[in-house]
Amino acid sequence: MLNLLQKRRSIRRYADKMLKKEDLTAILQAGLLAPTSCNKQSWEFILVEDKETLAAFGNCREPKQAFLPQAAAAIVVLGDTAKSDAWVEDASIALAFMQLQAESLGIGSCWVQIRNRQSNQNMSANAYVSELLSIPSPYEVLAILSLGYPAEERPAYSLDELKYDKVHQEAFGKKMF
Ligand SMILES: Cc1cc2nc3c(=O)[nH]c(=O)nc-3n(C[C@H](O)[C@H](O)[C@H](O)COP(=O)(O)O)c2cc1C
């Protein structure tokens, strides 16, 4: 697991190659396996492979997220804000699980933040994506997870370079490492 975590990097360049159905299924299963507050499972996931929709995702943020239209697929992660006051946490954990499952399959991914961000179309990023995908209220979009076979190589993290001073022992300020 630590090895997988070291290898995972945000990938923003993708090969022009479709993802396998079974891999997309496994990634979505990883999201559905994520823990949620009070087991409320407040999330919903929208798998998008349609090229026109992926192209439109490019405008979901200011500045433009130019790599999104190049992705082979994207999973839009939303939460039911009426169902759980922890929908952000629920959706975030699910997204992280899906990112790790993608990594384990050799699929690159990148988290594109939608919540609390603006689109380049004079509306919030949430309003833009919600309109595009017919997402009703009270659902809100947390983020879009772009997916594709990597067309860039990024170095794995080394355990030696971790910020160990962020770890405290027993009380704040008492360093462990
Ligand atoms: C909450 C969150 C929001 C992010 N939003 C964006 C984003 O909108 N666009 C983007 O290109 N990357 C985004 N990222 C990816 C980060 O830039 C990236 O994880 C960070 O620079 C560390 O690089 P690494 O993922 O390769 O370790 C986001 C990551 C997180 C966790």
Side-chain angles (χ1 to χ4, degrees):
M1 182 55 139
L2 207 50
N3 201 262
L4 182 78
L5 295 171
Q6 281 178 255
K7 278 199 314 192
R8 186 218 53 83
R9 298 299 312 269
S10 293
I11 296 299
R12 299 182 181 86
R13 286 173 203 270
Y14 308 104
D16 186 15
K17 190 176 162 194
M18 279 183 76
L19 299 176
K20 291 184 212 139
K21 256 276 131 350
E22 66 260 33
D23 286 356
L24 286 169
T25 299
I27 292 168
L28 289 161
Q29 285 169 330
L32 293 166
L33 283 164
T36 55
S37 172
C38 300
N39 203 16
K40 282 187 179 165
Q41 308 186 341
S42 64
W43 22 242
E44 306 277 332
F45 311 122
I46 304 177
L47 171 66
V48 174
E49 291 180 277
D50 181 78
K51 291 284 171 212
E52 272 182 34
T53 309
L54 291 169
F57 281 166
N59 292 320
C60 73
R61 285 279 307 284
E62 175 60 51
K64 201 174 166 84
Q65 302 286 296
F67 62 94
L68 263 176
Q70 314 307 323
I75 296 173
V76 181
V77 180
L78 31 143
D80 185 339
T81 64
K83 197 172 206 176
S84 175
D85 61 359
W87 74 269
V88 173
E89 291 83 352
D90 289 352
S92 298
I93 296 167
L95 196 152
F97 273 33
M98 291 194 282
Q99 222 174 1
L100 293 173
Q101 179 59 36
E103 178 65 39
S104 81
L105 294 165
I107 295 167
S109 72
C110 187
W111 179 315
V112 177
Q113 182 72 8
I114 297 299
R115 191 179 73 90
N116 286 345
R117 295 288 182 271
Q118 281 298 309
S119 73
N120 65 9
Q121 301 293 302
N122 241 341
M123 60 176 97
S124 73
N126 176 60
Y128 178 77
V129 176
S130 296
E131 197 174 297
L132 196 62
L133 303 181
S134 310
I135 298 169
S137 170
Y139 294 98
E140 270 190 44
V141 182
L142 174 84
I144 299 175
L145 181 66
S146 61
L147 296 165
Y149 292 112
E152 64 173 329
E153 262 191 52
R154 298 196 63 199
Y157 289 110
S158 144
L159 294 182
D160 296 333
E161 71 193 19
L162 299 181
K163 297 202 169 80
Y164 290 103
D165 61 345
K166 289 194 170 290
V167 182
H168 311 255
Q169 195 165 24
E170 309 298 350
F172 192 91
K174 296 192 176 172
K175 300 294 180 209
M176 173 157 175
F177 298 103

